[in-house]
Amino acid sequence: MEKIGLNELRSMFLEFYQSKGHYARKSFSLVPEKDKSLLLINSGMAPLKPYFAGLETPPSKRMTTCQKCIRTGDIENVGHTSRHATFFEMLGSFSFGDYFKLDSLVWGWEFITQVLKMPEERLWASIYEEDMEAFDIWKNTIGLPEERIVALGKEDNFWEIGTGPCGPCSEIYYDRGESFGCGKPDCKPGCDCDRYVEFWNHVFTQFNKDEAGNYTPLAHPNIDTGMGLERLACIMQDVDSIFNVDTIKYILDEVVQLSGIKYEHGTAKTDVSIRIITDHIRSVTFMISDGILPSNEGRGYVLRRLLRRAARHGRLLGISKSFLADLSRKVIESSGSAYLELEEKKDYIYKILSVEEEKFSATIDQGTAIIYDYIKELKDTGNTVLPGDKAFKLYDTYGFPLELTQEILAENGLTADVDGFNKNMLHQKEQARAARKTEDDEGWAEGNAIFVDEEPTEFVGYDTLLCESIINNIFLNNHPVNKLQEGDSGILLLNKTPFYAEGGGQVSDTGIINGKNSVINVQSVTNINGIYAHKVKIIQGEIEIGEIVESQVDIQNRNNTARNHTCTHILHKALKEVLGNHVEQAGSNVNPESLRFDFTHFEAVSKEELQKIESIVNEKINYFLPVKTQIMTVEEAKKSGAIALFDEKYGEKVRVVSVGDYSTELCGGTHITNSGQIGAFRIISENGIAAGVRRIEAITGASIYKKLRAEEELINSAAEALKTNAAGLLNKINLLNDEYKASKKELDELKKQTMSAGLDDMIANAPVINEVRLITHTFKDYDINDLRSLSDDIRAKIKSVIIVFATENNNKVTFMVSVSDDLLEKGYHAGNMIKKIAAAAGGGGGGKADMAQAGAKDPTKIQDALDVAATLIS
């Protein structure tokens, strides 16, 4: 049997099924698109569930994929065995109500025997014991000897999850030979030994199971096959472990090279660490390429957990420097030809891994030392469970995921109090949690249900800001009424509207509705399944159902909002240009006064980068680029290079907005007709709002003018207060600064003289306790540096002295303890002393043996604290 590389096997499989009329789709992202039940895609079938369930129409009734998958359910086995992995690729062939068992099994047999040329005598099949149709195909159509067709029960060969579509399956096995067997005469597929390797499962979804447990045949049965690419490569390359497969061994060899430790293919701790790093670097590289960023929740937590586990095992192998970013290049080299996103985002992947590993490196040594202190403490006291608060401290302070702490504990025969950890986590989240919705928002949410039976609204606001409308319905306090009167606030439903409803990050239009004897203020508009709900207040007169009215959008508001919306498109492209193509929109808010743009990025944007982004946007504004909107198909939009989440569900036609040839995006918002109408662009702030998400706030046009006027007024007020003009303001500030520094220097010198003047008295009057001179004193409005300077002077004059100073500033107390060098040898420790001294005044702190400081809250207890010092020495 010819040895075939993993990348070649992938291509051969997809090409074979394309020859059988299958649509070969590239792998879906590891991030589930519409399945909230999954954190990460974990099988080849998972992204196709909407097609199997009939919720969506597949692009073809026949499909084939090689799907990226992540599974962490048995992560504790990864590295300890030759088969477990968190990342793997799943080859699959699928039929949505098209072909069934015969074609699936016959084509499968053709692929493995004629394309891969596996020896037929080594192939076995299993079937569900009641599936005689599959048995007949294997025996009479394919010609597999009956003794190599194994009938197994429901537990092994019937696929079902609760109720719904289900069915029998047939698995194909490869016989590795007697040397891998258990020696029993009846050894065959289903046996627990390692002789027979199951590598391809054909699931025949032909029934629907109801709540009563009845199985009803489906009108259009489906096919779902899955074959692990790494497992197939093991067979084709005649190796015992996935870590010896060509592409994976390429990464493993680099780990060996980095660590300088030989890989023995065994169960030694170093072998386990090498395998863990090899597997985890594949996972994190692919996860980051699909836009997942390290965080403390969800899939970001999975990424961080894998990354930090790999980093720790690197330390166990003696790799002291950061190495994961460099190692990711080997993953990209081995798989980049099949997954172009790896190559496209290689610099981004490198940066994310570098930043995250650097963060962890800063604390891993401290955290490791602390957890081993905990372990020693547990063993010394005969306990086996680490308290939850200590496990949480390792997580919160040192970045140790709970699972990493559990792994280290398990290596020492110990466990962690998971419930206690979770209670600490919950408490932290409750403290950080803030209310996200106002009562008014909730009121709208509750009212949505009342519009279910209403007619959709015709939106004409792209083409006109003024139109005639008919009042279709009126609501007051979420109840239908016939009319609204002056002073009432309610909701109007119109047959036609020029008012843009809030959506896509853009606020709604506002404006006026004029009736035959009424004036109505439109405050906001919401689109609820095509029904535009206008939130209004009756300014004058009354309005009733069926009345014909004139709807007029506030033109200035619309123009200002459109100006800001178009600017977000230019900003989005500029961000990609300056920061990299990994930047994706993560949210926005566009209103008449300003714009806010959230985007994916892993670090703060530098001042220089912000200036460059601002400069590019203003440059595009000054080119007076035409802004055009076009309606086209999704495929045409993709070809045009439009930016969008194309995995989202769109209709057949989409609206594409282009700004010259610089920016093209799918967008339903309102826009200007020329970039020059924006006027100018200015960034107000940039900051992080979540793990891997940054936010830019900016203004355009008239808002810049308003801000400049406000800043000018502030400058003039400041100049007037300093008795100068705007031109002389900087010189005046510098002059005042110089005067302040000179005055402060004089004051510091005076304070030092005052303190030094009493130095001899302090020493002379200090009591001697156990041959130690104790000097205590309280100061007012002195800083800690003053106290340190004085204590240094005292220690330079005499030996065997302990100095305890306190200074009060703004009702807060700072303590300082200083111990002369000769007393250190006798065991005196400033850090230990100050903890007890400060505690007497409601404070705490610490420090080194010779010098320590602490803060406290209660100035009335200063003397009590100083008395503690005498007690400690005596």
Side-chain angles (χ1 to χ4, degrees):
M1 186 167 62
E2 181 188 353
K3 291 187 177 181
I4 304 173
L6 182 141
N7 286 324
E8 190 179 353
L9 286 170
R10 185 194 302 109
S11 298
M12 292 168 74
F13 180 87
L14 296 175
E15 288 168 7
F16 173 80
Y17 275 95
Q18 279 181 293
S19 74
K20 302 299 183 185
H22 289 61
Y23 164 63
R25 191 205 190 278
K26 72 171 189 174
S27 173
F28 289 84
S29 168
L30 285 166
V31 179
E33 295 162 14
K34 298 156 190 164
D35 190 347
K36 292 183 179 179
S37 68
L38 283 179
L39 197 61
L40 293 157
I41 292 299
N42 59 9
S43 69
M45 187 272 278
L48 305 175
K49 282 197 283 188
Y51 303 149
F52 282 112
L55 301 174
E56 293 182 21
T57 303
S60 168
K61 285 190 173 184
R62 299 179 181 185
M63 280 184 70
T64 184
T65 62
C66 182
Q67 177 61 45
K68 301 175 287 189
C69 301
I70 295 278
R71 286 183 191 169
T72 58
D74 52 5
I75 189 174
E76 65 278 358
N77 291 322
V78 173
H80 294 276
T81 74
S82 62
R83 295 181 184 178
H84 285 92
T86 55
F87 175 84
F88 60 96
E89 298 176 64
M90 184 63 75
L91 301 168
S93 55
F94 311 96
S95 166
F96 308 106
D98 187 32
Y99 64 84
F100 200 44
K101 292 181 190 178
L102 179 64
D103 288 330
S104 183
L105 294 177
V106 168
W107 288 337
W109 184 256
E110 180 184 344
F111 176 70
I112 58 180
T113 59
Q114 296 183 33
V115 178
L116 298 184
K117 300 189 181 338
M118 283 189 188
E120 294 187 19
E121 66 274 11
R122 284 183 174 257
L123 296 172
W124 290 63
S126 69
I127 60 164
Y128 175 48
E129 57 192 1
E130 296 180 14
D131 189 3
M132 299 315 296
E133 182 184 1
F135 176 81
D136 182 65
I137 294 168
W138 278 116
K139 180 184 177 184
N140 299 319
T141 304
I142 293 173
L144 189 65
E146 186 173 341
E147 61 270 18
R148 283 197 272 129
I149 306 170
V150 182
L152 298 173
K154 203 170 188 180
E155 187 176 324
D156 294 299
N157 277 63
F158 195 95
W159 183 87
E160 63 181 351
I161 303 176
T163 58
C166 57
C169 60
S170 179
E171 297 178 324
I172 305 175
Y173 293 77
Y174 183 80
D175 181 2
R176 301 170 71 198
E178 290 183 11
S179 61
F180 292 92
C182 57
K184 296 176 183 176
D186 61 343
C187 182
K188 58 186 176 183
C191 182
D192 290 334
C193 69
D194 290 333
R195 176 172 177 174
Y196 299 96
V197 179
E198 179 269 309
F199 66 94
W200 199 354
N201 190 12
H202 291 242
V203 178
F204 313 126
T205 313
Q206 64 187 88
F207 300 113
N208 185 71
K209 182 183 177 183
D210 61 24
E211 296 286 349
N214 300 310
Y215 294 89
T216 306
L218 293 172
H220 302 288
N222 304 312
I223 289 293
D224 159 26
T225 84
M227 174 161 57
L229 178 56
E230 292 84 357
R231 187 173 292 190
L232 175 63
C234 282
I235 295 171
M236 296 306 301
Q237 295 175 26
D238 193 25
V239 294
D240 295 339
S241 165
I242 61 170
F243 295 97
N244 292 327
V245 167
D246 60 338
T247 54
I248 303 175
K249 188 175 184 298
Y250 181 68
I251 302 162
L252 184 143
D253 287 344
E254 183 67 13
V255 179
V256 170
Q257 179 71 27
L258 284 167
S259 65
I261 292 176
K262 200 170 181 182
Y263 181 59
E264 303 290 352
H265 304 256
T267 58
K269 286 185 177 181
T270 52
D271 277 8
V272 171
S273 292
I274 289 169
R275 287 192 289 264
I276 285 172
I277 295 168
T278 301
D279 168 75
H280 288 9
I281 192 61
R282 295 179 77 217
S283 295
V284 299
T285 301
F286 273 93
M287 289 172 78
I288 294 170
S289 77
D290 278 342
I292 300 169
L293 290 168
S295 71
N296 286 334
E297 292 185 328
R299 55 186 69 95
Y301 180 73
V302 174
L303 171 60
R304 176 165 283 167
R305 177 187 170 193
L306 294 173
L307 194 154
R308 294 189 170 183
R309 190 170 189 247
R312 173 184 172 253
H313 279 277
R315 296 294 180 105
L316 293 178
L317 291 176
I319 307 174
S320 55
K321 63 178 183 178
S322 295
F323 68 99
L324 293 176
D326 288 329
L327 191 57
S328 71
R329 298 191 191 282
K330 294 296 178 182
V331 180
I332 295 167
E333 288 170 14
S334 62
S335 300
S337 60
Y339 299 100
L340 300 181
E341 60 271 22
L342 292 175
E343 187 63 39
E344 290 168 0
K345 296 187 178 180
K346 63 181 178 183
D347 293 337
Y348 175 61
I349 294 166
Y350 188 91
K351 184 68 174 179
I352 293 293
L353 286 170
S354 297
V355 170
E356 181 67 12
E357 190 175 7
E358 188 178 326
K359 275 185 193 173
F360 191 44
S361 293
T363 57
I364 185 173
D365 291 333
Q366 284 178 285
T368 302
I370 285 173
I371 194 171
Y372 280 108
D373 283 345
Y374 289 160
I375 289 169
K376 182 177 183 303
E377 186 181 318
L378 288 172
K379 290 184 175 179
D380 287 348
T381 57
N383 292 315
T384 59
V385 181
L386 182 70
D389 60 332
K390 291 184 176 180
F392 183 74
K393 181 181 179 181
L394 285 164
Y395 163 82
D396 196 40
T397 307
Y398 301 104
F400 276 48
L402 174 62
E403 294 81 2
L404 182 54
T405 297
Q406 288 177 300
E407 181 177 322
I408 297 171
L409 290 171
E411 289 169 1
N412 291 273
L414 305 169
T415 60
D417 174 12
V418 177
D419 288 341
F421 174 91
N422 290 335
K423 284 177 183 175
N424 278 270
M425 176 72 81
L426 182 62
H427 177 66
Q428 186 190 66
K429 287 183 177 179
E430 284 174 348
Q431 286 184 317
R433 189 177 292 121
R436 298 185 182 213
K437 291 186 176 182
T438 64
E439 290 182 8
D440 189 53
D441 290 335
E442 291 295 336
W444 272 97
E446 290 170 9
N448 289 352
I450 64 177
F451 307 134
V452 171
D453 297 324
E454 300 294 333
E455 290 293 319
T457 311
E458 181 187 353
F459 174 62
V460 296
Y462 290 139
D463 305 313
T464 181
L465 303 182
L466 177 70
C467 77
E468 268 195 356
S469 309
I470 300 171
I471 307 293
N472 278 349
N473 214 338
I474 302 174
F475 294 87
L476 180 64
N477 297 326
N478 290 337
H479 296 289
V481 294
N482 291 322
K483 64 171 66 176
L484 291 177
Q485 297 177 328
E486 190 170 314
D488 285 344
S489 291
I491 297 171
L492 298 185
L493 305 187
L494 311 177
N495 71 321
K496 182 192 298 184
T497 185
F499 294 99
Y500 178 83
E502 181 177 355
Q506 179 178 326
V507 299
S508 71
D509 284 329
T510 59
I512 295 291
I513 294 176
N514 291 304
K516 58 186 177 184
N517 64 353
S518 61
V519 178
I520 302 148
N521 180 18
V522 179
Q523 299 170 328
S524 64
V525 185
T526 304
N527 180 354
I528 303 161
N529 298 322
I531 301 157
Y532 283 52
H534 302 72
K535 193 175 184 181
V536 301
K537 181 165 185 177
I538 312 301
I539 305 301
Q540 178 186 314
E542 63 179 31
I543 194 83
E544 59 184 342
I545 292 176
E547 188 174 332
I548 297 175
V549 294
E550 184 181 71
S551 300
Q552 184 171 350
V553 173
D554 182 329
I555 189 168
Q556 193 169 347
N557 242 32
R558 164 69 79 89
N559 287 343
N560 287 338
T561 304
R563 178 183 291 122
N564 286 329
H565 200 152
T566 302
C567 200
T568 62
H569 287 217
I570 301 173
L571 172 61
H572 190 182
K573 185 61 183 290
L575 285 165
K576 284 179 174 287
E577 203 171 305
V578 175
L579 303 180
N581 280 325
H582 64 273
V583 169
E584 299 291 349
Q585 182 173 342
S588 67
N589 180 274
V590 180
N591 58 63
E593 288 76 38
S594 63
L595 63 94
R596 188 184 76 211
F597 192 80
D598 301 340
F599 57 99
T600 56
H601 191 53
F602 44 84
E603 61 184 354
V605 184
S606 70
K607 183 180 177 182
E608 293 72 26
E609 288 170 331
L610 285 173
Q611 288 173 344
K612 190 173 181 181
I613 291 161
E614 191 174 83
S615 176
I616 290 171
V617 175
N618 279 304
E619 180 184 83
K620 300 307 173 186
I621 289 170
N622 290 328
Y623 278 146
F624 282 69
L625 301 171
V627 179
K628 296 180 180 178
T629 59
Q630 294 175 278
I631 305 299
M632 56 180 74
T633 66
V634 171
E635 285 305 314
E636 288 170 337
K638 287 181 181 179
K639 288 176 184 175
S640 76
I643 297 173
L645 297 172
F646 279 109
D647 290 328
E648 293 291 323
K649 187 168 183 176
Y650 293 103
E652 289 183 13
K653 300 284 186 178
V654 292
R655 186 169 182 262
V656 178
V657 177
S658 59
V659 183
D661 58 2
Y662 183 67
S663 164
T664 307
E665 293 192 31
L666 266 66
C667 183
T670 62
H671 292 270
I672 51 180
T673 57
N674 188 291
S675 67
Q677 293 168 337
I678 297 170
F681 169 78
R682 182 178 175 186
I683 294 173
I684 302 301
S685 67
E686 189 278 338
N687 60 284
I689 59 168
V693 180
R694 311 292 301 177
R695 171 173 291 173
I696 280 179
E697 296 188 67
I699 52 177
T700 64
S703 292
I704 295 178
Y705 171 72
K706 289 177 187 175
K707 185 167 181 62
L708 289 174
R709 284 295 300 271
E711 289 175 351
E712 185 181 351
E713 287 177 16
L714 180 63
I715 290 168
N716 288 335
S717 297
E720 187 178 336
L722 295 176
K723 294 183 171 44
T724 184
N725 55 32
L729 186 58
L730 186 58
N731 285 336
K732 186 72 172 181
I733 290 171
N734 288 335
L735 180 62
L736 289 172
N737 260 337
D738 291 341
E739 289 177 2
Y740 168 76
K741 288 174 184 176
S743 299
K744 186 176 185 303
K745 188 176 180 181
E746 286 179 24
L747 181 60
D748 289 345
E749 197 61 42
L750 183 61
K751 282 163 67 177
K752 189 173 182 181
Q753 289 172 11
T754 304
M755 292 172 73
S756 297
L759 184 60
D760 291 337
D761 287 341
M762 276 187 202
I763 295 171
N765 296 326
V768 177
I769 307 169
N770 286 342
E771 299 181 347
V772 174
R773 190 174 297 276
L774 173 63
I775 297 176
T776 62
H777 197 80
T778 303
F779 299 88
K780 186 83 170 173
D781 296 329
Y782 281 67
D783 65 33
I784 193 69
N785 292 324
D786 296 328
L787 306 190
R788 283 178 181 157
S789 178
L790 183 58
S791 74
D792 288 343
D793 291 344
I794 294 172
R795 287 169 57 178
K797 278 179 172 282
I798 59 172
K799 292 185 178 180
S800 299
V801 62
I802 291 177
I803 305 148
V804 183
F805 286 155
T807 180
E808 182 185 344
N809 293 281
N810 299 320
N811 290 322
K812 291 184 179 178
V813 184
T814 304
F815 289 102
M816 189 209 73
V817 175
S818 180
V819 178
S820 60
D821 292 343
D822 61 315
L823 293 181
L824 298 178
E825 298 170 4
K826 295 181 179 181
Y828 289 96
H829 192 290
N832 294 339
M833 291 179 69
I834 204 163
K835 290 178 184 176
K836 296 180 180 179
I837 291 169
K848 297 180 181 178
D850 63 334
M851 178 81 71
Q853 71 182 65
K857 301 174 183 177
D858 191 350
T860 66
K861 298 289 180 66
I862 289 177
Q863 190 55 51
D864 293 344
L866 298 180
D867 290 343
V868 170
T871 305
L872 290 173
I873 296 172
S874 63

